[in-house]
Amino acid sequence: MFNKSHAMALSPVRLYLQTPAVTRVYVTACVLTTAAVQLGLITPLQLAFNPQLVFREWQIWRLITNFLFFGSLSFGFLINIIFLFRYCRLLEEGCFRRRTADFVFLFLFGGVLMTVMGVFTDQVFLGQSFPSMLVYVWSRRNPLLKIHFLGFLSFHARFLPWGLVAFSLMLGNSIVVDVLGIMVGQTYFYLEDVLPNQPGGWKLLRTPHILRCVLDHQEGEPLMLR
């Protein structure tokens, strides 16, 4: 029989295995990539977004790997991973429940828009923008929910993205990537939640049919088109 301490040791494993697929895959990739850099298996320069290397030397992997590196193992890295895991999971289990294709499309839309912005802002690592984007989308869909931040601050969820920006400033970090994430999150929220509900509005963002076929279709159930 397992004693209580052994059961507690297994709880993080159980939490990990119960995490929805998209959140689990992305967070795992970020942690493993950062660990590989710390162990000296790869260098940040091999992961960084460099438009010249991407489009002239076809180092296409940089379009993905720059979103997986969150800097050296530090307090800032831990905070980013915690927020990424929490709000990515809340979205996937909440408004994107049973809508994996739509959730993956959010990632693709955000990644493309952040990459374009990264070209003009000279950002070589855009991974830290993802937590800001996900937090922003979640906060706009749950604006009146009470948030307890750092154990002593309490405010409505709609102010959370700006609380994270202030926290980055307190840590002495650049807020450019945080602001980029908020801008992308606002763009997605407007196109997905606001524009279609306006008088004469229309739905501009549409998840590609191929994503629905691969990710949303379950054997024995009809494929639902949206």
Side-chain angles (χ1 to χ4, degrees):
M1 295 180 63
F2 295 116
N3 57 35
K4 184 176 180 180
S5 60
H6 188 74
M8 292 178 63
L10 289 178
S11 60
V13 176
R14 188 177 299 111
L15 175 65
Y16 175 79
L17 294 176
Q18 292 175 349
T19 299
V22 176
T23 301
R24 185 168 68 246
V25 169
Y26 184 51
V27 174
T28 300
C30 292
V31 172
L32 291 180
T33 300
T34 302
V37 171
Q38 290 296 119
L39 293 173
L41 301 177
I42 52 178
T43 67
L45 291 178
Q46 293 173 299
L47 307 173
F49 173 60
N50 185 318
Q52 291 187 349
L53 295 179
V54 170
F55 300 112
R56 292 185 180 181
E57 300 189 21
W58 297 102
Q59 296 184 11
I60 304 298
W61 69 83
R62 295 178 181 273
L63 292 173
I64 299 175
T65 56
N66 85 91
F67 287 103
L68 303 179
F69 181 61
F70 280 61
S72 59
L73 293 176
S74 62
F75 179 69
F77 167 81
L78 181 62
I79 292 297
N80 275 312
I81 288 297
I82 289 174
F83 274 90
L84 175 64
F85 178 81
R86 174 173 173 77
Y87 290 97
C88 192
R89 180 173 182 172
L90 285 174
L91 283 173
E92 191 170 4
E93 292 181 338
C95 55
F96 288 100
R97 184 176 180 82
R98 299 179 65 83
R99 295 173 54 207
T100 302
D102 291 334
F103 195 45
V104 170
F105 182 64
L106 166 59
F107 271 65
L108 295 175
F109 173 83
V112 170
L113 199 53
M114 288 175 196
T115 298
V116 173
M117 292 181 173
V119 172
F120 294 101
T121 57
D122 296 324
Q123 297 298 311
V124 295
F125 293 107
L126 295 164
Q128 294 181 41
S129 295
F130 255 101
S132 296
M133 177 190 73
L134 296 173
V135 167
Y136 188 87
V137 173
W138 178 85
S139 70
R140 290 305 301 266
R141 290 184 171 179
N142 302 272
L144 300 180
L145 193 66
K146 275 288 188 177
I147 295 293
H148 300 284
F149 189 63
L150 299 179
F152 63 91
L153 295 176
S154 181
F155 47 80
H156 287 128
R158 65 176 180 268
F159 299 116
L160 180 59
W162 307 107
L164 295 181
V165 171
F167 188 64
S168 292
L169 284 173
M170 290 172 56
L171 293 178
N173 299 329
S174 170
I175 63 171
V176 174
V177 288
D178 297 302
V179 174
L180 284 181
I182 290 174
M183 292 172 63
V184 173
Q186 168 60 23
T187 302
Y188 176 84
F189 176 76
Y190 178 78
L191 295 178
E192 180 68 14
D193 293 15
V194 178
L195 182 61
N197 297 313
Q198 296 296 312
W202 71 95
K203 187 173 177 58
L204 184 62
L205 296 182
R206 296 188 180 274
T207 301
H209 180 69
I210 184 64
L211 284 181
R212 298 199 185 282
C213 291
V214 173
L215 299 174
D216 283 352
H217 181 54
Q218 297 181 5
E219 187 176 355
E221 296 181 1
L223 179 63
M224 300 299 294
L225 299 180
R226 298 183 179 89

